[in-house]
Amino acid sequence: MNLNIALLAGDGIGPEVVDQAVKVVNAVAHKFNHTVNWTSALTGAAAIDAVGEPYPDETHEVCMAADAVLFGAIGHPRFDHDPKATVRPEQGLLKMRKKLGLYANVRPTFTFPSLIENSPLKRERIEGTDLIILRELTGGIYFGERGRKDEGNTAFDTCTYTREEIQRLAKLGFEMAMGRRKKLCCVDKANVLESSRLWRETVQDMEKDFPAVEVSYEFVDAVAMRLVQWPSSYDVIITENLFGDILTDEASVISGSMGLMPSSSIGIHTSLFEPIHGSYPQAAGKDIANPLATVLSAAMMFEDGFGLKEEAELIRTVVNKSLAEGIVTEDLAGKGNKAYKTSEVGDWLAANI
Amino acid sequence: MNLNIALLAGDGIGPEVVDQAVKVVNAVAHKFNHTVNWTSALTGAAAIDAVGEPYPDETHEVCMAADAVLFGAIGHPRFDHDPKATVRPEQGLLKMRKKLGLYANVRPTFTFPSLIENSPLKRERIEGTDLIILRELTGGIYFGERGRKDEGNTAFDTCTYTREEIQRLAKLGFEMAMGRRKKLCCVDKANVLESSRLWRETVQDMEKDFPAVEVSYEFVDAVAMRLVQWPSSYDVIITENLFGDILTDEASVISGSMGLMPSSSIGIHTSLFEPIHGSYPQAAGKDIANPLATVLSAAMMFEDGFGLKEEAELIRTVVNKSLAEGIVTEDLAGKGNKAYKTSEVGDWLAANI
Ligand SMILES: [Mg+2]
Ligand SMILES: [Mg+2]
């Protein structure tokens, strides 16, 4: 298979961690007889420095021509401390999301057998957890009409959803559930909100097209409880933008390995795969950053971007092996143990593919 | 001091658990030379059976004349399974909230030294947690304009807040923080929502009136994370209705003692104190229900309803003593240990005041 991948390394530790993912992807491609065509493009502060724009048109063209985008991180402290900056790296992210039509954020939460003690939850609560939250990313209260009335003393925000927006997100959820444990949970507040009732009736109408999937409907406050009590009971969760914003973050801490979590954003035109951690500028250029979240994002790219599940599983297996054998960067090494460099971890992973 | 208390026992285990709280309150009043005037009134299914109405006018008059309302629980399965029921016990709750002007729900989360192992969180994460979430109860997206457009294919909900609504809730939060560790966290999504920006600017304006209180502002998704990671870092949290709905439920499970958690609802006319557990009809009349959540609600009544902190602390101390000495109902007794009856626990608590 020909895999055309746009490579957007971005800022801070972005380039270093993306480099390791490239090594791993190339090793996997070699083993499975795929051909990878990488095209690098500028984004973030790096793009501002080069062409004055955090998501230049040339970068957009590279993304549009690609089958998938592998993304590092964006952001530089220079802009945070400069209130006069007229253009900021993070604007690139927003522009990119909009122009690529990224409508679904996919956030898995799972555990690593050798890191399970890092979880704030007890072992018996978190063991076996392997869930995905699909968050709608372009609708809801973050994009509705908002404003002030009564001389600024009353403020309002509007949450709006259309049946089509819900169908698009829910279809992805049903399909993901089909490739997993076939359980789908639709999270809403349908006992109160009209938009939630539209979510629920739309998903209910779609059940007949996916008869193998067991669908449940739960209220967002109940899910906020159950994610702490019994996270392993979930498979695929679908939900609207605001609820997803809250629940994905809550879910990200329960594994105790937030720094290792990958993500993807599914788009109309193309999809993007990136670690949930940021650009971590303090560590940039030191060859100490943990590359595993980016490597695991590449695994998601194989599975969800190219439909190549075996390749994705192999990456995950090798990552777990590196953790079990202590081939890890300083953040995971533990006192008295050898800490490997970012590049050494990447080399080891590629060699063990 | 004269304490006029309306006693609304309600349904299911309500009457039994409220009885134990009455014993404890009477013992405390005797010790501290207060005079308690109890006035019982009907509510819930019990009121429907007697007068055809879950929150009769006579009951409302009793509540209005009281300094505080001690409430058991409402709900009977007979109504859940009868789709033709024209009047339901829960409607009494809604009517009561509205007529008493209950605008703030107060939900503490704390640990019991002897029950800390019941938490889904590890001991070192939960130890020392003692926080209160104040949830605005009459505004926001649950009460805004909602509906459908485009032949039912578009649905909308509106979140509206006025400066006055926010001030009323925030004032309570500042005052509660003054009586505690003097830390207040305002939870919003001010980077996106206009209503959140009104919350934040209103609370910022009030900071000067409470210079001793250290105020922080956090986004709701970050708080959903931190409640699992480091719950002990919070003191008083204030937030709007929907965010509070989600966060109070999330917080309720972290202590591992959800069945023991009290709550209050602060009203314009009077305030109400109640356990967060429900009417638990399966256990009704068996003298086995755990009365501690109601007894601890009575402690909140002393502290927040009457401003009598010492009395409240005494109740909490005696409750912790009963747990440590194993004077507990069957839900907490543990295998091979003696389980005490509901009434025996109440008697023991009253005798140890
Ligand atoms: Mg978030
Ligand atoms: Mg709730």
Side-chain angles (χ1 to χ4, degrees):
Chain A
M1 193 166 161
N2 257 316
L3 312 176
N4 298 305
I5 307 174
L7 198 61
L8 274 57
D11 304 323
I13 59 168
E16 298 160 62
V17 294
V18 157
D19 273 355
Q20 314 318 313
V22 168
K23 292 176 191 171
V24 174
V25 170
N26 284 338
V28 170
H30 185 255
K31 186 174 186 112
F32 288 85
N33 276 315
H34 302 303
T35 307
V36 189
N37 307 308
W38 297 101
T39 314
S40 296
L42 289 168
T43 184
I48 295 176
D49 289 341
V51 298
E53 234 270 64
Y55 184 66
D57 289 345
E58 311 90 86
T59 297
H60 181 60
E61 277 159 35
V62 168
C63 292
M64 290 293 283
D67 301 320
V69 180
L70 188 62
F71 189 86
I74 249 179
H76 195 286
R78 166 160 60 91
F79 294 89
D80 298 341
H81 303 303
D82 179 6
K84 283 183 228 139
T86 53
V87 58
R88 291 169 190 280
E90 291 76 10
Q91 293 168 343
L93 216 54
L94 298 177
K95 194 172 165 192
M96 182 172 67
R97 280 184 191 151
K98 192 163 181 179
K99 291 186 76 168
L100 293 176
L102 304 179
Y103 65 88
N105 189 226
V106 185
R107 288 263 291 256
T109 290
F110 51 87
T111 57
F112 301 91
S114 55
L115 299 179
I116 207 157
E117 289 308 328
N118 293 347
S119 171
L121 301 188
K122 290 181 182 145
R123 172 183 283 271
E124 68 269 24
R125 300 286 182 148
I126 188 70
E127 216 157 40
T129 296
D130 178 14
L131 65 88
I132 284 181
I133 302 181
L134 249 97
R135 166 188 172 193
E136 205 287 328
L137 214 50
T138 61
I141 199 164
Y142 291 176
F143 292 92
E145 204 196 331
R146 70 184 87 254
R148 295 280 179 111
K149 291 184 279 198
D150 308 329
E151 295 167 342
N153 292 310
T154 299
F156 69 94
D157 296 275
T158 320
C159 175
T160 303
Y161 267 106
T162 67
R163 198 178 297 272
E164 275 177 7
E165 285 172 320
I166 299 164
Q167 282 166 339
R168 184 171 64 176
L169 192 281
K171 183 164 177 285
L172 210 56
F174 276 108
E175 288 166 357
M176 284 200 167
M178 284 298 290
R180 294 171 46 98
R181 301 196 305 281
K182 299 190 176 55
K183 280 175 28 176
L184 184 75
C185 177
C186 174
V187 178
D188 59 36
K189 191 74 187 177
N191 53 340
V192 189
L193 303 180
E194 192 62 33
S195 52
S196 284
R197 286 190 274 266
L198 183 58
W199 269 80
R200 196 170 279 212
E201 73 182 51
T202 303
V203 175
Q204 280 170 339
D205 286 345
M206 295 171 76
E207 283 188 36
K208 63 178 184 315
D209 303 326
F210 301 89
V213 177
E214 179 197 327
V215 186
S216 64
Y217 299 85
E218 294 183 26
F219 297 138
V220 59
D221 46 340
V223 176
M225 296 168 76
R226 281 230 294 158
L227 276 176
V228 178
Q229 292 182 295
W230 304 112
S232 61
S233 63
Y234 290 108
D235 182 12
V236 178
I237 288 173
I238 55 173
T239 193
E240 62 98 53
N241 204 342
L242 168 64
F243 296 163
D245 190 12
I246 297 170
L247 295 179
T248 54
D249 281 332
E250 182 185 341
S252 75
V253 298
I254 60 179
S255 78
S257 299
M258 185 166 53
L260 273 60
M261 287 293 143
S263 78
S264 71
S265 294
I266 308 294
I268 301 170
H269 302 296
T270 188
S271 298
L272 180 144
F273 300 85
E274 61 175 321
I276 71 171
H277 64 62
S279 63
Y280 194 26
Q282 309 91 301
K286 294 185 182 161
D287 204 17
I288 57 169
N290 191 328
L292 293 186
T294 314
V295 170
L296 291 166
S297 300
M300 284 185 82
M301 180 174 70
F302 274 106
E303 180 158 4
D304 301 334
F306 306 137
L308 299 171
K309 191 158 181 165
E310 208 182 327
E311 287 81 340
E313 277 306 317
L314 176 60
I315 295 177
R316 290 180 193 124
T317 302
V318 173
V319 164
N320 267 319
K321 201 173 155 201
S322 78
L323 291 169
E325 298 190 13
I327 318 297
V328 293
T329 42
E330 60 177 39
D331 53 306
L332 293 179
K335 261 196 187 136
N337 297 322
K338 175 171 161 64
Y340 288 77
K341 296 281 175 193
T342 308
S343 54
E344 289 174 329
V345 172
D347 290 339
W348 190 94
L349 293 170
N352 281 272
I353 285 292
Chain B
M1 191 167 162
N2 258 317
L3 312 176
N4 297 306
I5 308 174
L7 197 62
L8 273 58
D11 305 323
I13 59 168
E16 298 159 62
V17 294
V18 157
D19 273 354
Q20 314 319 312
V22 168
K23 292 176 191 171
V24 173
V25 169
N26 284 337
V28 169
H30 186 257
K31 186 175 186 107
F32 287 85
N33 276 314
H34 303 301
T35 307
V36 189
N37 306 309
W38 297 100
T39 313
S40 295
L42 289 168
T43 184
I48 296 176
D49 289 342
V51 298
E53 232 270 65
Y55 185 66
D57 288 344
E58 311 90 86
T59 297
H60 181 58
E61 277 159 37
V62 169
C63 292
M64 289 293 283
D67 302 321
V69 180
L70 187 62
F71 189 85
I74 249 180
H76 194 284
R78 167 161 59 90
F79 295 88
D80 298 339
H81 304 304
D82 179 6
K84 284 183 226 139
T86 53
V87 58
R88 291 170 189 280
E90 291 76 10
Q91 293 168 344
L93 216 54
L94 297 177
K95 194 172 165 193
M96 182 172 67
R97 281 186 189 148
K98 192 166 180 177
K99 291 186 76 168
L100 293 175
L102 304 179
Y103 66 88
N105 189 226
V106 184
R107 289 263 290 255
T109 290
F110 50 88
T111 58
F112 300 92
S114 56
L115 299 179
I116 208 157
E117 289 307 327
N118 294 347
S119 171
L121 301 188
K122 291 182 183 147
R123 172 183 283 272
E124 68 269 24
R125 298 286 182 149
I126 188 71
E127 216 158 40
T129 295
D130 178 13
L131 65 88
I132 285 181
I133 301 181
L134 248 98
R135 167 188 171 192
E136 205 288 330
L137 214 51
T138 60
I141 199 164
Y142 291 176
F143 292 93
E145 203 196 332
R146 71 183 86 254
R148 295 280 178 111
K149 292 184 278 196
D150 308 330
E151 293 167 342
N153 292 311
T154 300
F156 69 94
D157 296 275
T158 320
C159 175
T160 304
Y161 267 106
T162 68
R163 198 178 298 270
E164 276 178 7
E165 286 172 320
I166 299 163
Q167 281 166 339
R168 183 171 65 177
L169 192 283
K171 182 164 177 285
L172 209 57
F174 276 107
E175 288 166 356
M176 285 200 166
M178 284 299 291
R180 294 171 46 98
R181 300 197 305 281
K182 299 190 176 53
K183 279 173 31 174
L184 184 75
C185 176
C186 173
V187 179
D188 59 36
K189 191 74 186 176
N191 54 340
V192 189
L193 303 180
E194 192 63 31
S195 53
S196 284
R197 286 190 275 265
L198 182 59
W199 269 80
R200 196 171 279 213
E201 73 182 51
T202 303
V203 176
Q204 280 169 339
D205 286 346
M206 295 171 76
E207 283 188 37
K208 63 178 183 314
D209 303 326
F210 300 91
V213 177
E214 178 196 329
V215 185
S216 64
Y217 299 85
E218 294 183 25
F219 297 138
V220 59
D221 46 340
V223 176
M225 295 168 78
R226 280 230 294 159
L227 275 176
V228 178
Q229 291 181 295
W230 302 113
S232 61
S233 64
Y234 290 108
D235 182 12
V236 178
I237 288 173
I238 55 172
T239 192
E240 62 97 53
N241 204 342
L242 169 63
F243 296 163
D245 190 12
I246 297 170
L247 295 179
T248 54
D249 281 333
E250 181 184 341
S252 74
V253 298
I254 59 179
S255 78
S257 299
M258 184 165 55
L260 273 60
M261 287 293 143
S263 78
S264 71
S265 294
I266 307 296
I268 301 170
H269 302 298
T270 187
S271 297
L272 179 144
F273 301 85
E274 61 175 323
I276 70 169
H277 64 62
S279 62
Y280 194 26
Q282 309 93 300
K286 294 183 182 163
D287 205 17
I288 56 170
N290 191 328
L292 293 187
T294 314
V295 170
L296 291 167
S297 300
M300 282 186 82
M301 180 174 70
F302 274 106
E303 180 158 4
D304 300 333
F306 306 137
L308 299 170
K309 191 157 181 165
E310 209 182 328
E311 287 81 340
E313 277 306 316
L314 177 59
I315 295 177
R316 291 180 192 125
T317 302
V318 173
V319 165
N320 267 320
K321 200 173 156 202
S322 78
L323 291 169
E325 297 190 12
I327 318 296
V328 293
T329 42
E330 59 177 41
D331 53 307
L332 293 179
K335 261 196 187 135
N337 298 322
K338 175 172 162 64
Y340 289 77
K341 296 281 174 194
T342 307
S343 53
E344 290 173 329
V345 172
D347 291 339
W348 190 94
L349 293 170
N352 281 271
I353 285 292

